[in-house]
Amino acid sequence: MISIIVAVSDDWGIGSKNELLWHIPEDMKRFRKLTMGNTVIMGKKTWESLPKRPLAGRRNIVLTDIPGEVVNGSDTAYSIEDAIGKSGNDGEVFIIGGGTIYRQFMEVADRLYITHVHRNAPADVYFPVPDPGRWEIVESNDFVTDDENRLPYSYVIYERKKG
Ligand SMILES: NC(=O)c1ccc[n+]([C@@H]2O[C@H](COP(=O)([O-])OP(=O)(O)OC[C@H]3O[C@@H](n4cnc5c(N)ncnc54)[C@H](OP(=O)(O)O)[C@@H]3O)[C@@H](O)[C@H]2O)c1
């Protein structure tokens, strides 16, 4: 099972200047809970953006195009196929970004955990909009953050349509 996990703005922005667009502690806790004990796959820019790396309690696979480069603290992979092979193919494997990696894994992913953050924010990296002909919503829950901004967001799970 290959799952993408991402938080997007209303216009599908996911990052700016190699940082996230918001800080939603509840969403970070959910990310940790879902990914804990599993393998996470990310691009090198997302790896470099992590405040603490590797992500504890998870196998961290980092993609780079640079032949022979070893990203210290991770299992380094050099192609999408290499990353999938190194993930061992058991349990749920989480694709955790960023934009280039999401785009490439959309073709092979089975499930999308998308946190829709209901605001528009200036971004320089975007998530590819899921094609409604290929993806169906299987779960959706709405929340509002507790902070003074009252930032509304929804957890939406999409699964690839069968057939
Ligand atoms: N909102 C969210 O949920 C979320 C989640 C994660 C990240 N983000 C945001 O996304 C942004 C980063 O995304 P990004 O698209 O700029 O970078 P990225 O996807 O994290 O990393 C890009 C790098 O990955 C490597 N790579 C990509 N495809 C590869 C392939 N097929 N084979 C081997 N290596 C490959 C290359 O590394 P080399 O340059 O070493 O060759 C490439 O430069 C940041 O702003 C971050 O905060 C948001």
Side-chain angles (χ1 to χ4, degrees), residues 15-61:
S16 179
K17 299 189 175 77
N18 216 30
E19 289 180 7
L20 297 174
L21 301 172
W22 40 68
H23 178 65
I24 303 178
E26 298 92 333
D27 190 42
M28 302 304 280
K29 275 187 216 144
R30 177 174 180 261
F31 171 88
R32 185 179 154 83
K33 197 171 163 201
L34 282 167
T35 57
M36 191 50 67
N38 291 304
T39 296
V40 293
I41 296 178
M42 73 196 95
K44 203 171 81 188
K45 289 191 182 157
T46 293
W47 167 263
E48 287 168 350
S49 79
L50 296 176
K52 240 176 133 184
R53 48 187 189 251
L55 293 178
R58 287 147 282 190
R59 178 142 178 249
N60 289 226
I61 296 180

mmCIF file of all heavy atoms in Angstrom, residues 15-61:
data_model
loop_
_atom_site.group_PDB
_atom_site.id
_atom_site.type_symbol
_atom_site.label_atom_id
_atom_site.label_comp_id
_atom_site.label_asym_id
_atom_site.label_seq_id
_atom_site.Cartn_x
_atom_site.Cartn_y
_atom_site.Cartn_z
ATOM 1 N N GLY A 15 3.952 24.658 -0.215
ATOM 2 C CA GLY A 15 5.169 25.155 0.412
ATOM 3 C C GLY A 15 5.640 26.440 -0.237
ATOM 4 O O GLY A 15 5.222 26.798 -1.338
ATOM 5 N N SER A 16 6.514 27.135 0.493
ATOM 6 C CA SER A 16 7.133 28.347 -0.035
ATOM 7 C C SER A 16 8.514 28.491 0.593
ATOM 8 O O SER A 16 8.678 28.283 1.798
ATOM 9 C CB SER A 16 6.266 29.560 0.319
ATOM 10 O OG SER A 16 6.866 30.733 -0.173
ATOM 11 N N LYS A 17 9.493 28.810 -0.223
ATOM 12 C CA LYS A 17 10.878 28.997 0.241
ATOM 13 C C LYS A 17 11.365 27.806 1.070
ATOM 14 O O LYS A 17 12.004 27.947 2.114
ATOM 15 C CB LYS A 17 11.013 30.290 1.043
ATOM 16 C CG LYS A 17 10.654 31.532 0.224
ATOM 17 C CD LYS A 17 11.012 32.810 0.966
ATOM 18 C CE LYS A 17 10.773 34.024 0.101
ATOM 19 N NZ LYS A 17 9.366 34.422 -0.024
ATOM 20 N N ASN A 18 10.997 26.622 0.612
ATOM 21 C CA ASN A 18 11.335 25.348 1.263
ATOM 22 C C ASN A 18 10.833 25.239 2.706
ATOM 23 O O ASN A 18 11.443 24.583 3.555
ATOM 24 C CB ASN A 18 12.837 25.036 1.197
ATOM 25 C CG ASN A 18 13.069 23.541 1.034
ATOM 26 O OD1 ASN A 18 12.259 22.823 0.440
ATOM 27 N ND2 ASN A 18 14.154 23.040 1.600
ATOM 28 N N GLU A 19 9.686 25.869 2.955
ATOM 29 C CA GLU A 19 9.024 25.721 4.257
ATOM 30 C C GLU A 19 7.546 25.443 4.041
ATOM 31 O O GLU A 19 7.007 25.700 2.956
ATOM 32 C CB GLU A 19 9.168 27.007 5.079
ATOM 33 C CG GLU A 19 10.581 27.219 5.570
ATOM 34 C CD GLU A 19 10.734 28.495 6.384
ATOM 35 O OE1 GLU A 19 9.700 29.147 6.671
ATOM 36 O OE2 GLU A 19 11.876 28.822 6.714
ATOM 37 N N LEU A 20 6.880 24.949 5.099
ATOM 38 C CA LEU A 20 5.434 24.760 5.043
ATOM 39 C C LEU A 20 4.742 26.123 5.092
ATOM 40 O O LEU A 20 5.361 27.126 5.455
ATOM 41 C CB LEU A 20 4.972 23.892 6.224
ATOM 42 C CG LEU A 20 5.520 22.460 6.256
ATOM 43 C CD1 LEU A 20 5.111 21.762 7.548
ATOM 44 C CD2 LEU A 20 5.050 21.662 5.047
ATOM 45 N N LEU A 21 3.456 26.149 4.773
ATOM 46 C CA LEU A 21 2.725 27.418 4.691
ATOM 47 C C LEU A 21 2.015 27.778 5.996
ATOM 48 O O LEU A 21 1.428 28.845 6.104
ATOM 49 C CB LEU A 21 1.684 27.340 3.566
ATOM 50 C CG LEU A 21 2.246 27.039 2.164
ATOM 51 C CD1 LEU A 21 1.102 26.805 1.178
ATOM 52 C CD2 LEU A 21 3.112 28.196 1.695
ATOM 53 N N TRP A 22 2.004 26.832 6.959
ATOM 54 C CA TRP A 22 1.256 27.047 8.206
ATOM 55 C C TRP A 22 1.820 26.121 9.260
ATOM 56 O O TRP A 22 2.636 25.233 8.970
ATOM 57 C CB TRP A 22 -0.237 26.726 7.987
ATOM 58 C CG TRP A 22 -0.374 25.515 7.133
ATOM 59 C CD1 TRP A 22 -0.033 24.230 7.460
ATOM 60 C CD2 TRP A 22 -0.802 25.480 5.769
ATOM 61 N NE1 TRP A 22 -0.226 23.409 6.388
ATOM 62 C CE2 TRP A 22 -0.712 24.143 5.334
ATOM 63 C CE3 TRP A 22 -1.274 26.438 4.877
ATOM 64 C CZ2 TRP A 22 -1.045 23.752 4.038
ATOM 65 C CZ3 TRP A 22 -1.606 26.044 3.604
ATOM 66 C CH2 TRP A 22 -1.498 24.708 3.201
ATOM 67 N N HIS A 23 1.358 26.296 10.482
ATOM 68 C CA HIS A 23 1.728 25.358 11.548
ATOM 69 C C HIS A 23 0.434 24.929 12.230
ATOM 70 O O HIS A 23 -0.208 25.740 12.896
ATOM 71 C CB HIS A 23 2.686 26.031 12.531
ATOM 72 C CG HIS A 23 3.068 25.146 13.665
ATOM 73 N ND1 HIS A 23 3.802 23.980 13.490
ATOM 74 C CD2 HIS A 23 2.795 25.209 14.984
ATOM 75 C CE1 HIS A 23 3.956 23.389 14.652
ATOM 76 N NE2 HIS A 23 3.356 24.107 15.587
ATOM 77 N N ILE A 24 0.031 23.702 12.018
ATOM 78 C CA ILE A 24 -1.190 23.182 12.643
ATOM 79 C C ILE A 24 -0.773 21.996 13.517
ATOM 80 O O ILE A 24 -0.570 20.881 13.012
ATOM 81 C CB ILE A 24 -2.222 22.754 11.583
ATOM 82 C CG1 ILE A 24 -2.551 23.935 10.648
ATOM 83 C CG2 ILE A 24 -3.495 22.229 12.238
ATOM 84 C CD1 ILE A 24 -3.514 23.611 9.527
ATOM 85 N N PRO A 25 -0.596 22.218 14.824
ATOM 86 C CA PRO A 25 -0.077 21.152 15.686
ATOM 87 C C PRO A 25 -0.907 19.864 15.602
ATOM 88 O O PRO A 25 -0.340 18.761 15.602
ATOM 89 C CB PRO A 25 -0.141 21.767 17.093
ATOM 90 C CG PRO A 25 -0.101 23.236 16.866
ATOM 91 C CD PRO A 25 -0.791 23.488 15.562
ATOM 92 N N GLU A 26 -2.240 19.994 15.493
ATOM 93 C CA GLU A 26 -3.091 18.783 15.421
ATOM 94 C C GLU A 26 -2.751 17.975 14.177
ATOM 95 O O GLU A 26 -2.750 16.742 14.217
ATOM 96 C CB GLU A 26 -4.576 19.170 15.359
ATOM 97 C CG GLU A 26 -5.091 19.927 16.577
ATOM 98 C CD GLU A 26 -5.003 21.452 16.419
ATOM 99 O OE1 GLU A 26 -4.120 21.940 15.655
ATOM 100 O OE2 GLU A 26 -5.782 22.149 17.067
ATOM 101 N N ASP A 27 -2.481 18.656 13.073
ATOM 102 C CA ASP A 27 -2.156 17.961 11.825
ATOM 103 C C ASP A 27 -0.791 17.280 11.941
ATOM 104 O O ASP A 27 -0.594 16.168 11.438
ATOM 105 C CB ASP A 27 -2.179 18.966 10.664
ATOM 106 C CG ASP A 27 -2.096 18.272 9.311
ATOM 107 O OD1 ASP A 27 -2.764 17.231 9.138
ATOM 108 O OD2 ASP A 27 -1.365 18.754 8.435
ATOM 109 N N MET A 28 0.152 17.928 12.612
ATOM 110 C CA MET A 28 1.475 17.321 12.811
ATOM 111 C C MET A 28 1.362 16.053 13.659
ATOM 112 O O MET A 28 2.010 15.040 13.393
ATOM 113 C CB MET A 28 2.441 18.305 13.511
ATOM 114 C CG MET A 28 2.638 19.606 12.787
ATOM 115 S SD MET A 28 3.204 19.413 11.092
ATOM 116 C CE MET A 28 4.928 19.117 11.323
ATOM 117 N N LYS A 29 0.487 16.123 14.691
ATOM 118 C CA LYS A 29 0.286 14.943 15.562
ATOM 119 C C LYS A 29 -0.315 13.806 14.755
ATOM 120 O O LYS A 29 0.063 12.643 14.906
ATOM 121 C CB LYS A 29 -0.650 15.296 16.717
ATOM 122 C CG LYS A 29 0.078 15.911 17.877
ATOM 123 C CD LYS A 29 -0.883 16.084 19.064
ATOM 124 C CE LYS A 29 -0.550 17.364 19.806
ATOM 125 N NZ LYS A 29 -1.673 18.078 20.344
ATOM 126 N N ARG A 30 -1.281 14.109 13.915
ATOM 127 C CA ARG A 30 -1.919 13.073 13.086
ATOM 128 C C ARG A 30 -0.892 12.472 12.110
ATOM 129 O O ARG A 30 -0.844 11.257 11.912
ATOM 130 C CB ARG A 30 -3.101 13.678 12.319
ATOM 131 C CG ARG A 30 -3.780 12.683 11.382
ATOM 132 C CD ARG A 30 -5.010 13.341 10.793
ATOM 133 N NE ARG A 30 -5.735 12.485 9.900
ATOM 134 C CZ ARG A 30 -5.657 12.514 8.586
ATOM 135 N NH1 ARG A 30 -4.804 13.350 8.007
ATOM 136 N NH2 ARG A 30 -6.391 11.721 7.846
ATOM 137 N N PHE A 31 -0.064 13.339 11.521
ATOM 138 C CA PHE A 31 0.985 12.871 10.604
ATOM 139 C C PHE A 31 1.902 11.876 11.327
ATOM 140 O O PHE A 31 2.211 10.799 10.819
ATOM 141 C CB PHE A 31 1.793 14.086 10.103
ATOM 142 C CG PHE A 31 3.022 13.725 9.318
ATOM 143 C CD1 PHE A 31 2.949 13.530 7.947
ATOM 144 C CD2 PHE A 31 4.250 13.573 9.949
ATOM 145 C CE1 PHE A 31 4.085 13.181 7.216
ATOM 146 C CE2 PHE A 31 5.388 13.226 9.239
ATOM 147 C CZ PHE A 31 5.303 13.038 7.863
ATOM 148 N N ARG A 32 2.286 12.241 12.555
ATOM 149 C CA ARG A 32 3.189 11.393 13.331
ATOM 150 C C ARG A 32 2.529 10.047 13.636
ATOM 151 O O ARG A 32 3.136 8.989 13.482
ATOM 152 C CB ARG A 32 3.531 12.145 14.627
ATOM 153 C CG ARG A 32 4.546 11.459 15.489
ATOM 154 C CD ARG A 32 4.812 12.312 16.737
ATOM 155 N NE ARG A 32 5.273 11.468 17.822
ATOM 156 C CZ ARG A 32 6.505 11.075 17.974
ATOM 157 N NH1 ARG A 32 7.427 11.458 17.115
ATOM 158 N NH2 ARG A 32 6.850 10.289 18.962
ATOM 159 N N LYS A 33 1.258 10.105 14.035
ATOM 160 C CA LYS A 33 0.545 8.883 14.405
ATOM 161 C C LYS A 33 0.385 7.946 13.202
ATOM 162 O O LYS A 33 0.599 6.737 13.305
ATOM 163 C CB LYS A 33 -0.839 9.287 14.953
ATOM 164 C CG LYS A 33 -1.509 8.205 15.743
ATOM 165 C CD LYS A 33 -2.748 8.753 16.437
ATOM 166 C CE LYS A 33 -3.632 7.600 16.859
ATOM 167 N NZ LYS A 33 -5.008 8.006 17.086
ATOM 168 N N LEU A 34 0.023 8.514 12.068
ATOM 169 C CA LEU A 34 -0.206 7.683 10.875
ATOM 170 C C LEU A 34 1.096 7.067 10.360
ATOM 171 O O LEU A 34 1.113 5.912 9.920
ATOM 172 C CB LEU A 34 -0.842 8.519 9.756
ATOM 173 C CG LEU A 34 -2.331 8.802 9.872
ATOM 174 C CD1 LEU A 34 -2.748 9.901 8.889
ATOM 175 C CD2 LEU A 34 -3.137 7.537 9.588
ATOM 176 N N THR A 35 2.178 7.857 10.395
ATOM 177 C CA THR A 35 3.423 7.377 9.774
ATOM 178 C C THR A 35 4.288 6.556 10.724
ATOM 179 O O THR A 35 5.154 5.799 10.257
ATOM 180 C CB THR A 35 4.266 8.571 9.236
ATOM 181 O OG1 THR A 35 4.533 9.476 10.326
ATOM 182 C CG2 THR A 35 3.534 9.302 8.129
ATOM 183 N N MET A 36 4.070 6.667 12.028
ATOM 184 C CA MET A 36 4.935 6.014 13.021
ATOM 185 C C MET A 36 5.049 4.510 12.758
ATOM 186 O O MET A 36 4.058 3.836 12.530
ATOM 187 C CB MET A 36 4.386 6.286 14.422
ATOM 188 C CG MET A 36 5.315 5.890 15.554
ATOM 189 S SD MET A 36 7.006 6.515 15.403
ATOM 190 C CE MET A 36 6.797 8.268 15.601
ATOM 191 N N GLY A 37 6.289 4.007 12.788
ATOM 192 C CA GLY A 37 6.540 2.577 12.605
ATOM 193 C C GLY A 37 6.587 2.162 11.138
ATOM 194 O O GLY A 37 6.889 1.002 10.835
ATOM 195 N N ASN A 38 6.307 3.105 10.250
ATOM 196 C CA ASN A 38 6.279 2.785 8.819
ATOM 197 C C ASN A 38 7.462 3.430 8.092
ATOM 198 O O ASN A 38 8.282 4.119 8.686
ATOM 199 C CB ASN A 38 4.964 3.288 8.211
ATOM 200 C CG ASN A 38 3.773 2.489 8.713
ATOM 201 O OD1 ASN A 38 3.731 1.279 8.596
ATOM 202 N ND2 ASN A 38 2.811 3.189 9.303
ATOM 203 N N THR A 39 7.504 3.194 6.788
ATOM 204 C CA THR A 39 8.525 3.824 5.948
ATOM 205 C C THR A 39 7.981 5.129 5.386
ATOM 206 O O THR A 39 6.823 5.189 4.959
ATOM 207 C CB THR A 39 8.895 2.885 4.785
ATOM 208 O OG1 THR A 39 9.492 1.714 5.340
ATOM 209 C CG2 THR A 39 9.862 3.527 3.820
ATOM 210 N N VAL A 40 8.831 6.174 5.398
ATOM 211 C CA VAL A 40 8.462 7.427 4.739
ATOM 212 C C VAL A 40 9.458 7.682 3.605
ATOM 213 O O VAL A 40 10.657 7.421 3.747
ATOM 214 C CB VAL A 40 8.432 8.630 5.727
ATOM 215 C CG1 VAL A 40 7.313 8.469 6.744
ATOM 216 C CG2 VAL A 40 9.767 8.834 6.438
ATOM 217 N N ILE A 41 8.929 8.161 2.485
ATOM 218 C CA ILE A 41 9.766 8.473 1.317
ATOM 219 C C ILE A 41 9.619 9.951 1.012
ATOM 220 O O ILE A 41 8.491 10.476 0.974
ATOM 221 C CB ILE A 41 9.332 7.644 0.082
ATOM 222 C CG1 ILE A 41 9.542 6.149 0.341
ATOM 223 C CG2 ILE A 41 10.096 8.087 -1.164
ATOM 224 C CD1 ILE A 41 9.084 5.241 -0.805
ATOM 225 N N MET A 42 10.763 10.628 0.828
ATOM 226 C CA MET A 42 10.706 12.087 0.554
ATOM 227 C C MET A 42 11.829 12.498 -0.400
ATOM 228 O O MET A 42 12.833 11.785 -0.557
ATOM 229 C CB MET A 42 10.811 12.876 1.872
ATOM 230 C CG MET A 42 12.186 12.862 2.482
ATOM 231 S SD MET A 42 12.205 13.369 4.212
ATOM 232 C CE MET A 42 12.128 11.755 5.028
ATOM 233 N N GLY A 43 11.644 13.683 -0.994
ATOM 234 C CA GLY A 43 12.695 14.277 -1.810
ATOM 235 C C GLY A 43 13.730 14.963 -0.928
ATOM 236 O O GLY A 43 13.474 15.261 0.243
ATOM 237 N N LYS A 44 14.890 15.246 -1.524
ATOM 238 C CA LYS A 44 15.976 15.798 -0.712
ATOM 239 C C LYS A 44 15.657 17.187 -0.160
ATOM 240 O O LYS A 44 16.079 17.529 0.954
ATOM 241 C CB LYS A 44 17.285 15.837 -1.502
ATOM 242 C CG LYS A 44 18.489 15.858 -0.573
ATOM 243 C CD LYS A 44 19.776 15.685 -1.298
ATOM 244 C CE LYS A 44 20.222 16.975 -1.905
ATOM 245 N NZ LYS A 44 21.386 16.793 -2.775
ATOM 246 N N LYS A 45 14.878 17.968 -0.886
ATOM 247 C CA LYS A 45 14.552 19.319 -0.366
ATOM 248 C C LYS A 45 13.665 19.223 0.873
ATOM 249 O O LYS A 45 13.838 19.981 1.823
ATOM 250 C CB LYS A 45 13.887 20.158 -1.448
ATOM 251 C CG LYS A 45 14.872 20.559 -2.525
ATOM 252 C CD LYS A 45 14.286 21.588 -3.450
ATOM 253 C CE LYS A 45 15.295 21.910 -4.542
ATOM 254 N NZ LYS A 45 14.635 22.450 -5.740
ATOM 255 N N THR A 46 12.706 18.297 0.836
ATOM 256 C CA THR A 46 11.854 18.116 2.025
ATOM 257 C C THR A 46 12.700 17.623 3.195
ATOM 258 O O THR A 46 12.561 18.107 4.325
ATOM 259 C CB THR A 46 10.698 17.156 1.685
ATOM 260 O OG1 THR A 46 9.856 17.821 0.749
ATOM 261 C CG2 THR A 46 9.897 16.772 2.920
ATOM 262 N N TRP A 47 13.593 16.682 2.943
ATOM 263 C CA TRP A 47 14.515 16.202 3.984
ATOM 264 C C TRP A 47 15.264 17.382 4.606
ATOM 265 O O TRP A 47 15.331 17.514 5.827
ATOM 266 C CB TRP A 47 15.493 15.193 3.355
ATOM 267 C CG TRP A 47 16.685 14.838 4.175
ATOM 268 C CD1 TRP A 47 17.941 15.383 4.077
ATOM 269 C CD2 TRP A 47 16.770 13.858 5.227
ATOM 270 N NE1 TRP A 47 18.785 14.800 4.981
ATOM 271 C CE2 TRP A 47 18.097 13.869 5.695
ATOM 272 C CE3 TRP A 47 15.841 12.973 5.795
ATOM 273 C CZ2 TRP A 47 18.526 13.019 6.715
ATOM 274 C CZ3 TRP A 47 16.284 12.134 6.816
ATOM 275 C CH2 TRP A 47 17.600 12.170 7.265
ATOM 276 N N GLU A 48 15.787 18.270 3.743
ATOM 277 C CA GLU A 48 16.571 19.404 4.246
ATOM 278 C C GLU A 48 15.707 20.394 5.014
ATOM 279 O O GLU A 48 16.214 21.164 5.840
ATOM 280 C CB GLU A 48 17.275 20.114 3.065
ATOM 281 C CG GLU A 48 18.429 19.288 2.529
ATOM 282 C CD GLU A 48 18.976 19.776 1.187
ATOM 283 O OE1 GLU A 48 18.352 20.646 0.549
ATOM 284 O OE2 GLU A 48 20.028 19.258 0.780
ATOM 285 N N SER A 49 14.391 20.368 4.753
ATOM 286 C CA SER A 49 13.484 21.305 5.440
ATOM 287 C C SER A 49 13.049 20.805 6.815
ATOM 288 O O SER A 49 12.458 21.558 7.588
ATOM 289 C CB SER A 49 12.232 21.554 4.584
ATOM 290 O OG SER A 49 11.319 20.484 4.700
ATOM 291 N N LEU A 50 13.345 19.532 7.126
ATOM 292 C CA LEU A 50 12.886 18.985 8.412
ATOM 293 C C LEU A 50 13.653 19.627 9.559
ATOM 294 O O LEU A 50 14.884 19.664 9.525
ATOM 295 C CB LEU A 50 13.099 17.467 8.467
ATOM 296 C CG LEU A 50 12.321 16.602 7.474
ATOM 297 C CD1 LEU A 50 12.733 15.130 7.625
ATOM 298 C CD2 LEU A 50 10.815 16.748 7.696
ATOM 299 N N PRO A 51 12.960 20.097 10.602
ATOM 300 C CA PRO A 51 13.677 20.695 11.740
ATOM 301 C C PRO A 51 14.547 19.671 12.471
ATOM 302 O O PRO A 51 15.611 20.008 12.988
ATOM 303 C CB PRO A 51 12.560 21.215 12.655
ATOM 304 C CG PRO A 51 11.273 20.710 12.109
ATOM 305 C CD PRO A 51 11.509 20.152 10.730
ATOM 306 N N LYS A 52 14.085 18.399 12.479
ATOM 307 C CA LYS A 52 14.851 17.335 13.144
ATOM 308 C C LYS A 52 14.845 16.141 12.208
ATOM 309 O O LYS A 52 13.771 15.678 11.800
ATOM 310 C CB LYS A 52 14.158 16.954 14.453
ATOM 311 C CG LYS A 52 15.018 17.159 15.677
ATOM 312 C CD LYS A 52 14.239 16.853 16.920
ATOM 313 C CE LYS A 52 15.060 15.967 17.843
ATOM 314 N NZ LYS A 52 14.287 15.567 19.012
ATOM 315 N N ARG A 53 15.982 15.625 11.846
ATOM 316 C CA ARG A 53 16.013 14.495 10.933
ATOM 317 C C ARG A 53 17.048 13.470 11.356
ATOM 318 O O ARG A 53 18.034 13.867 11.972
ATOM 319 C CB ARG A 53 16.266 14.971 9.504
ATOM 320 C CG ARG A 53 17.423 15.940 9.362
ATOM 321 C CD ARG A 53 17.511 16.498 7.967
ATOM 322 N NE ARG A 53 18.742 17.245 7.798
ATOM 323 C CZ ARG A 53 18.808 18.556 7.697
ATOM 324 N NH1 ARG A 53 17.729 19.274 7.734
ATOM 325 N NH2 ARG A 53 19.961 19.165 7.551
ATOM 326 N N PRO A 54 16.820 12.167 11.066
ATOM 327 C CA PRO A 54 15.639 11.604 10.415
ATOM 328 C C PRO A 54 14.393 11.686 11.305
ATOM 329 O O PRO A 54 14.501 11.927 12.507
ATOM 330 C CB PRO A 54 16.028 10.135 10.195
ATOM 331 C CG PRO A 54 17.024 9.845 11.277
ATOM 332 C CD PRO A 54 17.763 11.127 11.515
ATOM 333 N N LEU A 55 13.209 11.464 10.707
ATOM 334 C CA LEU A 55 11.981 11.383 11.491
ATOM 335 C C LEU A 55 12.066 10.127 12.350
ATOM 336 O O LEU A 55 12.224 9.019 11.833
ATOM 337 C CB LEU A 55 10.762 11.320 10.559
ATOM 338 C CG LEU A 55 10.463 12.577 9.741
ATOM 339 C CD1 LEU A 55 9.266 12.348 8.833
ATOM 340 C CD2 LEU A 55 10.234 13.784 10.646
ATOM 341 N N ALA A 56 11.958 10.307 13.660
ATOM 342 C CA ALA A 56 12.180 9.199 14.597
ATOM 343 C C ALA A 56 11.117 8.113 14.454
ATOM 344 O O ALA A 56 9.956 8.412 14.141
ATOM 345 C CB ALA A 56 12.169 9.752 16.016
ATOM 346 N N GLY A 57 11.545 6.873 14.652
ATOM 347 C CA GLY A 57 10.599 5.753 14.686
ATOM 348 C C GLY A 57 10.080 5.344 13.321
ATOM 349 O O GLY A 57 9.153 4.540 13.214
ATOM 350 N N ARG A 58 10.654 5.923 12.273
ATOM 351 C CA ARG A 58 10.233 5.600 10.909
ATOM 352 C C ARG A 58 11.467 5.379 10.051
ATOM 353 O O ARG A 58 12.520 5.981 10.300
ATOM 354 C CB ARG A 58 9.416 6.748 10.307
ATOM 355 C CG ARG A 58 8.032 6.848 10.903
ATOM 356 C CD ARG A 58 7.528 8.265 10.984
ATOM 357 N NE ARG A 58 8.116 8.985 12.101
ATOM 358 C CZ ARG A 58 7.723 10.176 12.534
ATOM 359 N NH1 ARG A 58 6.737 10.802 11.932
ATOM 360 N NH2 ARG A 58 8.312 10.750 13.569
ATOM 361 N N ARG A 59 11.352 4.516 9.064
ATOM 362 C CA ARG A 59 12.446 4.363 8.103
ATOM 363 C C ARG A 59 12.380 5.509 7.112
ATOM 364 O O ARG A 59 11.355 5.713 6.472
ATOM 365 C CB ARG A 59 12.269 3.028 7.396
ATOM 366 C CG ARG A 59 13.281 2.752 6.363
ATOM 367 C CD ARG A 59 13.633 1.265 6.411
ATOM 368 N NE ARG A 59 14.566 1.000 5.390
ATOM 369 C CZ ARG A 59 14.282 0.281 4.310
ATOM 370 N NH1 ARG A 59 13.121 -0.307 4.185
ATOM 371 N NH2 ARG A 59 15.200 0.112 3.404
ATOM 372 N N ASN A 60 13.437 6.300 7.025
ATOM 373 C CA ASN A 60 13.448 7.481 6.166
ATOM 374 C C ASN A 60 14.195 7.179 4.862
ATOM 375 O O ASN A 60 15.398 6.925 4.880
ATOM 376 C CB ASN A 60 14.182 8.637 6.857
ATOM 377 C CG ASN A 60 13.446 9.262 8.027
ATOM 378 O OD1 ASN A 60 13.368 10.482 8.148
ATOM 379 N ND2 ASN A 60 12.900 8.449 8.930
ATOM 380 N N ILE A 61 13.471 7.198 3.761
ATOM 381 C CA ILE A 61 14.116 7.020 2.451
ATOM 382 C C ILE A 61 14.111 8.378 1.752
ATOM 383 O O ILE A 61 13.071 9.021 1.641
ATOM 384 C CB ILE A 61 13.381 5.970 1.599
ATOM 385 C CG1 ILE A 61 13.468 4.596 2.282
ATOM 386 C CG2 ILE A 61 13.962 5.917 0.186
ATOM 387 C CD1 ILE A 61 12.773 3.467 1.539
#
